[in-house]
Amino acid sequence: MSRLSVFAARLRSLLLRDRAERQLDDELRFHLEMQIEGNIRLGMSPREARYDATRRFGGLESTKREYRERRNFTATEGFGKDVVYAARALRGNPGFTAVAVVTLALGIGINATVFTVTDSVLFKGPPLVYRSHRLLYLTMDRGTVSWPAFQDWHAQTRSFQGMAAVNGSWLNLSDSKGLLEKVAGLQVSTDIFHVLGQKPLLGRDFVPADEISGTPPVAILTYGFWERRYGKDPGIIGQSVRINGIPTTLIAVMPPGFSFPWMQDIWVPLKLTPEIEKRDNRNALWFVIGRLADGATDRSARSEMESIGRALARTYPLTNRGWRPKVSSFSQFFIGSNAAMIYGSMWGEWLLCCSSPVPMWRISSWRAQWGSRAKLLSAWRSARLAGASHGN
Amino acid sequence: MAKTSNDPAAKAEVLQGTLVLLVLRTLEALGPLHGYGIARRIEQISKDLLHLNQGTLYPALLRMEQERWITSEWGASENNRRAKFYSITCGGRKQLEIETQDWERMRATIDRFLGSLA
């Protein structure tokens, strides 16, 4: 309370410095005059009276100095002094102040926006993106993985309790409504929802038989698509639609808010064809998603996958030599190794923006300094000239 | 060798820290007073035994005002001149109590010392 009230009083006096200085003069002058008049009444000469008054007072200038030090912020108050210095300088230079304030305001505003957008889109992902720190994304370091390699990984791994492969594609969907709609779809291996730990809200999950060529085609919808296209009609389960022209049965709807991996509307099982089962077909899959087994870590999973990859390269040198499995976390997979750089550059930009008034400041104070130096210089020159002419 | 009380050099300097006590007590007793009035009063009460460097009064008054123990207001003096009048606040009265107690304690301590040596 006391510190605060002293601070407040000093801040006031800073803002009203000239007035405070005048008042101090008035007050001290009043004191001295009273003393002088009293002394004269006691019979002193005016000169004696004045001398006695100043003696009793004891140092007018030192009193003023002490008074000012107490009134204003002083060097002993470190940070306070800096603040005051800055405030004074800013007050003395409104143009600079305006530019600095606008720069900082824009910088902070823009950065806050970029930060928020980047954070929500890239780092947290859109609300529909499914993520979990137990889920890892697997590809090959030089590209995507082939279906047979995925099968081998799946069979050999101990670090993952489940693995599923996905391949994204746009699908043309038409139904009794007659409206053809292009939807974001995903071909998946049938244990995808098991790996993700999700169960349908309505209907049945995929079964392994759904992968086999020749079994009736089926599809599962997101809640959002079900709501949008079918008005949440539960009767849609079991109905047949055409996907890419092929009659397909809708077997399930997933829970609200869930999609995978991004904003898919519909999932269909991968149908195994001789083409997909070629070891050199690396266009079959987007990526593999794996759920870590209990006790496994990102690290142990990586080292296990590397050794599995080396074994595959030895077994299938023609197709697999030089291809190494790559294990990524959600952010590494979707943002890439640039994640740190993106974050770093956001911070860097912010710092840059905050420090941008500094050079302006330096320039404006240099100008002020050189202004006074020029005056000194010309005064010195005239003095020298005067001296020289005097000498002559 | 002993200096008499008439010797100006024998005047005791106002002790550091006691000035607040003297000012607060003066304002409490006499009501609003300007700086010169306070200085004169302190000198009168002490019968000129106390040497007050009048100039030191003003930084002290400022500090007390910052601490909100006293307030100040510009007004007309007894000879109708513009002067700054100080008066004690509620906080000032509390502070006066504290300072008085501190002084009493100090005096008792010093007394004991002097007594034990006697």
Side-chain angles (χ1 to χ4, degrees):
Chain A
M1 180 60 201
S2 165
R3 292 288 83 208
L4 199 66
S5 62
V6 170
F7 184 87
R10 285 176 173 171
L11 199 62
R12 263 198 310 281
S13 86
L14 172 74
L15 300 172
L16 304 166
R17 192 155 43 108
D18 298 340
R19 213 180 92 188
E21 196 61 24
R22 268 201 313 280
Q23 291 187 343
L24 174 61
D25 283 344
D26 288 351
E27 189 174 18
L28 299 186
R29 193 184 313 116
F30 171 79
H31 182 111
L32 286 171
E33 285 171 2
M34 290 294 283
Q35 184 70 56
I36 292 166
E37 284 167 26
N39 287 347
I40 290 174
R41 273 200 300 279
L42 288 174
M44 290 188 198
S45 72
R47 197 188 164 136
E48 272 175 323
R50 180 165 292 277
Y51 174 77
D52 179 72
T54 21
R55 189 185 56 77
R56 280 168 184 263
F57 197 86
L60 189 62
E61 279 316 308
S62 65
T63 296
K64 280 189 183 177
R65 194 166 54 242
E66 202 187 326
Y67 192 95
R68 282 186 205 112
E69 276 171 10
R70 186 162 285 293
R71 184 186 61 200
N72 305 330
F73 298 90
T74 60
T76 55
E77 278 149 306
F79 176 72
K81 185 198 147 209
D82 289 346
V83 170
V84 169
Y85 175 70
R88 271 187 198 154
L90 289 175
R91 197 179 64 155
N93 199 341
F96 170 79
T97 307
V99 173
V101 167
V102 169
T103 310
L104 288 179
L106 278 177
I108 291 167
I110 291 170
N111 266 287
T113 313
V114 170
F115 227 93
T116 313
V117 171
T118 312
D119 193 52
S120 61
V121 172
L122 281 182
F123 291 87
K124 293 206 185 90
L128 287 179
V129 174
Y130 187 75
R131 62 188 301 192
S132 153
H133 68 279
R134 297 303 287 172
L135 294 175
L136 293 177
Y137 296 77
L138 297 96
T139 52
M140 291 288 200
D141 58 351
R142 287 161 62 182
T144 53
V145 60
S146 67
W147 177 263
F150 160 64
Q151 293 292 316
D152 292 334
W153 289 358
H154 198 179
Q156 291 171 32
T157 182
R158 294 287 170 272
S159 301
F160 293 96
Q161 54 173 290
M163 269 186 182
V166 304
N167 183 30
S169 60
W170 290 94
L171 305 172
N172 291 315
L173 182 138
S174 62
D175 50 30
S176 54
K177 290 183 173 180
L179 294 166
L180 184 76
E181 187 174 347
K182 195 165 190 137
V183 295
L186 192 72
Q187 292 181 296
V188 294
S189 59
T190 51
D191 51 355
I192 181 75
F193 297 124
H194 181 71
V195 170
L196 294 176
Q198 295 286 317
K199 286 195 171 73
L201 178 73
L202 290 173
R204 70 158 176 93
D205 199 351
F206 294 130
V207 293
D210 293 332
E211 271 176 27
I212 295 163
S213 190
T215 55
V218 293
I220 294 181
L221 305 180
T222 58
Y223 189 91
F225 185 73
W226 179 51
E227 185 176 37
R228 176 162 60 79
R229 185 157 176 120
Y230 299 110
K232 298 203 268 191
D233 174 14
I236 198 70
I237 306 295
Q239 296 286 311
S240 183
V241 299
R242 283 176 175 270
I243 292 179
N244 288 352
I246 298 162
T248 304
T249 307
L250 301 179
I251 56 168
V253 174
M254 294 304 286
F258 171 79
S259 188
F260 180 86
W262 201 251
M263 289 159 87
Q264 261 62 26
D265 292 320
I266 194 163
W267 296 276
V268 296
L270 274 158
K271 287 288 184 187
L272 296 181
T273 62
E275 191 59 28
I276 283 183
E277 294 190 272
K278 281 184 183 163
R279 206 167 268 278
D280 61 350
N281 179 2
R282 298 187 195 276
N283 300 322
L285 303 180
W286 255 9
F287 63 85
V288 170
I289 178 110
R291 175 174 290 275
L292 283 174
D294 290 342
T297 63
D298 290 24
R299 244 182 114 134
S300 68
R302 277 197 179 90
S303 71
E304 189 200 41
M305 289 311 298
E306 266 175 36
S307 68
I308 291 175
R310 278 195 298 273
L312 283 182
R314 278 194 300 274
T315 316
Y316 307 102
L318 278 181
T319 53
N320 284 57
R321 178 180 289 164
W323 289 76
R324 294 199 328 228
K326 186 179 168 191
V327 182
S328 322
S329 67
F330 174 90
S331 63
Q332 286 166 336
F333 187 75
F334 283 100
I335 311 164
S337 53
N338 296 331
M341 205 186 75
I342 293 172
Y343 243 113
S345 66
M346 285 196 297
W347 279 108
E349 200 220 328
W350 193 73
L351 282 177
L352 198 69
C353 148
C354 285
S355 59
S356 64
V358 172
M360 293 194 282
W361 172 256
R362 296 290 290 270
I363 289 165
S364 82
S365 69
W366 278 336
R367 281 215 320 248
Q369 266 183 28
W370 280 107
S372 50
R373 268 181 214 173
K375 274 179 211 148
L376 271 178
L377 203 64
S378 70
W380 183 70
R381 275 200 197 116
S382 356
R384 216 173 50 155
L385 281 173
S389 59
H390 192 73
N392 290 337
Chain B
M1 276 308 284
K3 286 170 180 171
T4 66
S5 59
N6 293 331
D7 184 348
K11 280 186 182 180
E13 291 286 337
V14 171
L15 278 174
Q16 277 287 321
T18 54
L19 190 54
V20 169
L21 176 61
L22 298 180
V23 170
L24 288 176
R25 176 72 189 123
T26 304
L27 290 178
E28 193 203 28
L30 300 183
L33 216 54
H34 46 64
Y36 175 72
I38 297 170
R40 284 305 301 148
R41 180 68 182 171
I42 291 174
E43 287 169 350
Q44 279 165 8
I45 292 281
S46 72
K47 303 229 182 340
D48 286 334
L49 286 178
L50 214 51
H51 174 70
L52 174 67
N53 234 340
Q54 293 176 350
T56 58
L57 184 62
Y58 289 91
L61 284 170
L62 176 65
R63 180 183 151 227
M64 292 164 71
E65 199 177 355
Q66 287 174 341
E67 301 276 10
R68 303 217 180 127
W69 298 334
I70 57 175
T71 56
S72 69
E73 204 175 12
W74 287 89
S77 71
E78 54 273 29
N79 55 0
N80 213 17
R81 292 241 288 276
R82 217 170 76 87
K84 197 175 184 182
F85 286 84
Y86 295 90
S87 42
I88 191 166
T89 64
C90 260
R93 284 175 214 282
K94 276 182 211 140
Q95 187 63 26
L96 176 58
E97 222 166 274
I98 294 169
E99 302 254 344
T100 309
Q101 281 166 8
D102 284 353
W103 178 251
E104 296 290 353
R105 225 184 344 262
M106 175 64 100
R107 194 177 62 182
T109 309
I110 298 291
D111 281 352
R112 266 203 304 283
F113 263 99
L114 297 179
S116 75
L117 290 173

